[in-house]
C-alpha cells in the first residue's frame, strides 16, 4: 500500500485553535489602538469566520454591521493599516506562547518527516503568521520542515477557491491524487476538494456544526497514543490517525 507523497495542512483551526484566542484578540487590540470602539466577541467572531482572510473579514463586518467609521477617504487603506497592526498583535500573542498545536499534529508531522513524506502549508493567513506559529510551537527549525508554505496573499482568490491548494501542489510538483489535505472548516474543505485532494477534517468549536460532505474522514482531532481521536464520520482502524491510516484512505477507491 503506497503512502501519500505529501500532506498539505491548513493552519488556522487545523494546526492550532488560533481563531478565538489569537486572531480575534489581535483584531480587537488593533481596533482599540486605532480609537475604534469595534468589539468582536467570541460569538460574533464565529459568524464573521464565514469570510476567510482578515482584511476581507473586516470589510464584511463594515458592510454587514455598519459600525462607526473614522473620517477616511480610503477604506481599503484603513483596513490595510488595521490588518498590519493586527498581525503585529497576533505575532506578539504567539510569542508569548499562548497557542499550542492541536493533539496529534506534532506527532504526525514528525512521523511524516521520518518516513520521507513531504509537508506543505495551504493557508489563508500570512506567511509570517505561519512561520511564527511553527517556530513557537515546534522550534526554530520547523518552518524548514515544509517544502512549501502557500499563503493567502500569494494567490488571486482565497478559500473556498482552490487557488492556494493548487499553488502548493504546483510547487510540490505532485498530483493531487498522491497527496492528502487537512482542514477544519467548510470553506477550507471546499477549497481542498476543488483542488482534487482527499481531505481529512478535524473539527473545532467554531466549525463542528458545518457540513463536511465529501471529506474522507471527520475527526475531533488527529489523536495520539495517549489521547484517542473521536471519529465523527468515516472509518479509522486505529485510535489515532497515522501514516498507515492515511495510506489506507488514499488507496481506498472513492
Ligand atoms: C483562516 C482565516 C484567516 C485568519 C486570519 O482561514 O480566514 O483569515 O482568520 O488571518 P483558513 P489573516 O484556516 O481556512 O485558511 O488576518 O492573516 O488573514
Ligand atoms: Mg482553517
Amino acid at each position: 500500500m503506497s503512502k501519500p507523497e505529501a500532506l498539505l495542512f491548513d493552519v488556522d483551526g487545523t494546526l492550532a485553535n488560533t481563531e478565538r484566542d489569537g486572531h480575534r484578540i489581535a483584531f480587537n487590540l488593533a481596533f482599540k489602538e486605532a480609537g475604534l470602539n469595534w468589539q468582536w466577541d467570541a460569538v460574533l467572531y464565529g459568524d464573521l469566520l464565514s469570510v476567510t482572510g482578515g482584511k476581507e473579514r473586516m470589510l464584511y463586518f463594515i458592510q454587514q454591521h455598519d459600525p462607526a467609521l473614522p473620517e477616511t477617504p480610503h477604506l481599503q487603506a484603513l483596513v490595510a493599516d488595521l490588518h498590519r497592526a493586527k498581525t503585529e498583535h497576533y505575532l506578539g500573542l504567539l510569542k508569548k506562547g499562548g497557542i499550542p498545536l492541536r493533539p496529534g499534529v506534532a506527532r504526525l508531522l514528525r512521523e511524516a518527516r521520518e518516513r520521507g513524506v513531504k509537508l506543505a502549508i495551504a493557508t489563508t493567513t500570512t506567511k509570517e503568521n505561519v512561520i511564527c506559529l511553527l517556530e513557537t510551537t515546534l522550534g526554530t527549525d520547523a518552518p524548514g520542515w515544509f517544502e512549501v508554505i502557500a499563503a493567502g496573499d500569494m494567490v488571486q482568490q482565497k478559500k473556498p477557491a482552490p487557488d492556494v491548494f493548487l499553488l502548493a501542489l504546483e510547487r510540490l510538483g505532485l498530483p493531487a491524487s498522491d497527496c492528502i489535505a487537512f482542514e477544519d472548516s467548510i470553506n477550507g474543505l471546499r477549497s481542498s476538494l476543488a483542488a482534487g485532494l482527499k481531505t481529512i477534517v478535524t473539527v473545532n468549536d467554531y466549525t463542528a456544526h458545518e457540513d463536511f460532505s465529501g471529506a474522507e474522514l471527520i475527526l475531533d482531532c488527529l489523536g495520539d497514543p495517549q489521547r484517542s481521536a473521536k471519529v465523527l464520520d468515516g472509518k479509522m482502524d486505529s485510535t489515532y490517525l497515522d501514516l498507515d491510516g492515511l495510506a489506507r484512505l488514499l488507496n481506498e477507491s472513492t
Side-chain angles (χ1 to χ4, degrees):
M1 200 162 40
S2 50
K3 58 182 168 50
E5 293 290 331
L7 307 182
L8 287 78
F9 289 88
D10 169 50
V11 174
D12 295 306
T14 300
L15 292 188
N17 280 324
T18 49
E19 295 289 9
R20 195 193 62 190
D21 300 330
H23 290 295
R24 184 182 69 89
I25 305 293
F27 280 114
N28 284 331
L29 288 169
F31 299 155
K32 194 167 172 200
E33 204 171 59
L36 297 164
N37 66 350
W38 308 353
Q39 259 291 332
W40 289 359
D41 65 30
V43 174
L44 170 62
Y45 195 68
D47 296 336
L48 299 175
L49 279 174
S50 63
V51 176
T52 60
K55 294 189 282 283
E56 293 79 357
R57 188 167 300 142
M58 282 188 271
L59 285 167
Y60 173 79
F61 171 72
I62 292 165
Q63 283 156 9
Q64 294 294 311
H65 295 264
D66 198 21
L69 273 172
E71 288 290 318
T72 171
H74 301 296
L75 192 55
Q76 300 284 347
L78 169 73
V79 163
D81 286 347
L82 286 170
H83 194 254
R84 257 189 299 278
K86 173 259 169 178
T87 299
E88 285 309 311
H89 286 297
Y90 179 72
L91 294 173
L93 290 170
L94 290 182
K95 285 174 191 159
K96 276 195 211 152
I99 305 190
L101 296 178
R102 296 189 61 186
V105 169
R107 169 194 54 77
L108 184 60
L109 293 177
R110 291 199 172 98
E111 188 190 353
R113 273 166 59 72
E114 276 160 23
R115 293 184 55 181
V117 174
K118 291 178 179 170
L119 297 172
I121 294 287
T123 180
T124 303
T125 197
T126 57
K127 197 166 174 175
E128 61 187 318
N129 287 353
V130 179
I131 288 174
C132 189
L133 178 70
L134 295 173
E135 286 181 346
T136 54
T137 53
L138 292 165
T140 47
D141 63 326
W145 301 0
F146 293 81
E147 205 97 350
V148 179
I149 297 181
D153 287 337
M154 292 160 69
V155 291
Q156 271 220 310
Q157 292 193 75
K158 292 184 175 167
K159 299 174 188 178
D163 302 28
V164 76
F165 278 104
L166 292 175
L167 177 68
L169 287 170
E170 185 192 310
R171 299 217 172 150
L172 283 165
L174 290 169
S177 54
D178 289 347
C179 304
I180 291 193
F182 294 82
E183 270 293 350
D184 70 301
S185 70
I186 179 69
N187 280 324
L189 176 65
R190 286 198 184 127
S191 172
S192 58
L193 291 180
L197 286 153
K198 285 195 170 184
T199 305
I200 313 294
V201 172
T202 48
V203 303
N204 56 55
D205 286 348
Y206 273 135
T207 66
H209 64 284
E210 293 179 339
D211 175 6
F212 292 116
S213 307
E216 294 305 309
L217 185 61
I218 308 173
L219 303 171
D220 72 332
C221 69
L222 295 174
D224 267 328
Q226 59 282 4
R227 200 276 195 206
S228 299
K230 192 163 153 200
V231 178
L232 304 173
D233 200 15
K235 238 181 85 220
M236 185 169 76
D237 297 336
S238 157
T239 56
Y240 61 95
L241 190 60
D242 60 6
L243 273 182
D244 291 335
L246 288 172
R248 271 192 291 279
L249 287 169
L250 190 68
N251 290 287
E252 262 168 22
S253 56
T254 37

